[in-house]
Amino acid sequence: SNGNTYPAIARPWGMHFWAPQTSTAGDGWFYKYDDYHINGIKQTHQPSPWLNDYGSFALMATVNNPSFLEEERQSWFSHKAEKVKPHHYSVYLADYHTTLELSTSSRAAHFNVHFPDSDSASGVADAFPGGSHIRVDKEKQTITGYSSHNHGGVSENFKNYFVIQFDQAISSHSLWVDSSYVQTVDTLGNRVGAIIRFQTKQGRPLNARVASSFISEEQAWRNLHTEIPEDQTFEESVRLAEQAWEEELGKIRVLESDLDAKRTFYSAVYRLLLFPRPLHEVTAEGDTVHYSPYTGKVHEGFMYTDNGFWDTFRAVFPFFSLMYPDLNSQIMQGLVNTYQQSGWLPEWASPGHRGVMIGSNSASIIADSWLKGIRGYDIEVL
């Protein structure tokens, strides 16, 4: 299982991750290293294969292929033509003679697709089962929608709103619901998606900027314009994402000369800096707010999730207290909000309570943080 891990392309503590998908929607083991077909790049929030994912949707590039089904849109790929770094992913889709690459910010992503010369190059958007929505606007060169895909821990009104902006004209499009095409520009259903077609030239990559929000479509557009402006090149997005990782990974100087030991260490730190995930976003007025998976409403303040405290109280949070006291203060503020909104402290949050594991390990990290001088939250509430 390779440690049940997947290659998460993200910023440190990013709100949304992206990862290649070799399995089907809903499979907790969605990237299997021994697979040799890939069917999409999905936005993921999965902290564990057993907890599974929520708010997921996927994008795929094809050429001369009218199918949107995972097993039919997939392409053969080789790890020799796959580049995986925390800030950048690239894969050669051999069946389509196309290279797909992406980089990320916290709440947005930048895709760069190198198609061959074609009048039948396509992008496939799959909003996943569980209740979804897709709308295509050819004039604005956009796809918008939401995914309600989840495996628990959400309120009834949960949605992950997404927006996709292309830099080239859409020549035609088709929408689908479950396994059938529908003739419309806007559709709802259990599982919906879109195929959009472009006329492409080799040497002129297709760019797509994507962002999401748990609050609203309007907030998703704000996240996009704020984090990946329209005039920002793909190369600039890669540079900024790499810079973000270098800033964090460079805070620790490793004197060990053994290269394998260094690789192990930095691989561990990379995953340490992914979770817990922020759920909060910044409004047009500059306010920090979050959609609450506990109440289904938007509240003021910080919120973090995707963390199993029964595992992370031992080392992760003591590390945060020493290295990231300001972050730890925000996480503690988020725990105050969680308790006030739900009446409980979490043991496994993804994104809300998941009702697994025993004990009260959130309490131990609160006590540890307070004793180490972390402040900025109402300890009396906790």
Side-chain angles (χ1 to χ4, degrees):
S1 69
N2 294 283
N4 296 322
T5 64
Y6 60 85
I9 316 305
R11 290 288 185 95
W13 304 290
M15 185 170 174
H16 308 297
F17 300 171
W18 292 84
Q21 177 173 289
T22 66
S23 189
T24 56
D27 187 344
W29 285 261
F30 63 83
Y31 179 85
K32 302 179 178 70
Y33 190 81
D34 292 335
D35 287 348
Y36 51 88
H37 284 99
I38 184 171
N39 62 58
I41 309 294
K42 84 163 180 171
Q43 187 185 97
T44 176
H45 309 94
Q46 180 170 298
S48 158
W50 292 278
L51 274 292
N52 216 301
D53 217 337
Y54 62 90
S56 308
F57 63 96
L59 304 176
M60 181 60 176
T62 68
V63 177
N64 197 28
N65 183 351
S67 180
F68 52 82
L69 300 174
E70 287 164 325
E71 64 273 19
E72 295 178 4
R73 74 189 188 215
Q74 67 185 8
S75 171
W76 185 88
F77 81 107
S78 168
H79 294 301
K80 294 180 179 179
E82 183 189 38
K83 299 177 182 178
V84 184
K85 296 182 178 181
H87 65 282
H88 178 233
Y89 179 79
S90 176
V91 64
Y92 178 65
L93 305 175
D95 288 353
Y96 305 124
H97 305 292
T98 294
T99 297
L100 189 158
E101 55 180 337
L102 77 141
S103 188
T104 68
S105 65
S106 177
R107 299 171 182 85
H110 203 157
F111 282 76
N112 197 40
V113 188
H114 302 260
F115 283 111
D117 290 345
S118 177
D119 58 4
S120 61
S122 300
V124 181
D126 183 346
F128 277 30
S132 49
H133 173 229
I134 284 279
R135 181 174 65 251
V136 175
D137 189 322
K138 285 182 61 178
E139 291 187 4
K140 295 182 179 179
Q141 300 171 191
T142 63
I143 296 177
T144 55
Y146 62 74
S147 168
S148 298
H149 181 78
N150 71 85
H151 291 82
V154 300
S155 298
E156 289 185 4
N157 66 345
F158 169 77
K159 294 179 177 66
N160 181 25
Y161 299 90
F162 58 83
V163 296
I164 308 170
Q165 176 78 65
F166 299 95
D167 72 343
Q168 296 182 29
I170 299 172
S171 58
S172 64
H173 76 277
S174 303
L175 270 63
W176 48 274
V177 178
D178 295 327
S179 59
S180 302
Y181 282 112
V182 292
Q183 300 301 315
T184 181
V185 297
D186 193 325
T187 191
L188 293 161
N190 174 56
R191 182 177 189 175
V192 303
I195 297 181
I196 53 171
R197 301 172 188 86
F198 303 90
Q199 293 184 341
T200 57
K201 292 289 184 182
Q202 189 170 3
R204 188 196 172 193
L206 171 71
N207 272 257
R209 298 178 303 124
V210 187
S212 300
S213 168
F214 295 118
I215 296 173
S216 67
E217 182 179 312
E218 179 183 9
Q219 182 64 38
W221 280 116
R222 172 170 172 74
N223 293 341
L224 181 63
H225 297 321
T226 301
E227 297 193 5
I228 304 183
E230 191 171 357
D231 60 352
Q232 182 167 300
T233 66
F234 179 76
E235 291 72 22
E236 182 72 2
S237 294
V238 173
R239 186 188 68 80
L240 290 171
E242 182 177 22
Q243 182 178 309
W245 278 106
E246 286 292 342
E247 180 178 348
E248 301 306 332
L249 295 177
K251 289 180 178 178
I252 301 175
R253 184 182 178 191
V254 179
L255 301 180
E256 172 63 57
S257 60
D258 185 287
L259 183 59
D260 286 339
K262 281 187 175 182
R263 286 170 173 160
T264 299
F265 175 82
Y266 280 112
S267 177
V269 175
Y270 151 68
R271 298 205 176 267
L272 176 72
L273 301 183
L274 290 172
F275 300 101
R277 178 192 317 285
L279 278 181
H280 49 269
E281 306 175 50
V282 180
T283 67
E285 294 72 32
D287 298 322
T288 298
V289 300
H290 62 271
Y291 167 83
S292 171
Y294 307 103
T295 68
K297 300 177 181 179
V298 177
H299 298 264
E300 295 181 354
F302 296 104
M303 178 68 72
Y304 285 84
T305 189
D306 291 331
N307 185 78
F309 296 91
W310 72 288
D311 270 334
T312 56
F313 80 92
R314 296 176 178 87
V316 173
F317 283 96
F319 179 85
F320 287 166
S321 294
L322 294 173
M323 291 294 295
Y324 297 98
D326 291 342
L327 170 73
N328 207 356
S329 175
Q330 291 182 9
I331 296 171
M332 296 302 112
Q333 292 175 56
L335 288 177
V336 170
N337 291 330
T338 296
Y339 178 76
Q340 290 179 325
Q341 293 165 22
S342 71
W344 298 90
L345 288 172
E347 288 309 302
W348 242 119
S350 181
H353 294 305
R354 295 300 298 272
V356 294
M357 297 307 161
I358 60 174
S360 186
N361 297 307
S362 298
S364 67
I365 69 167
I366 295 165
D368 183 68
S369 297
W370 187 261
L371 292 173
K372 289 177 178 173
I374 307 298
R375 297 295 186 267
Y377 57 99
D378 192 342
I379 191 66
E380 297 302 325
V381 171
L382 299 174

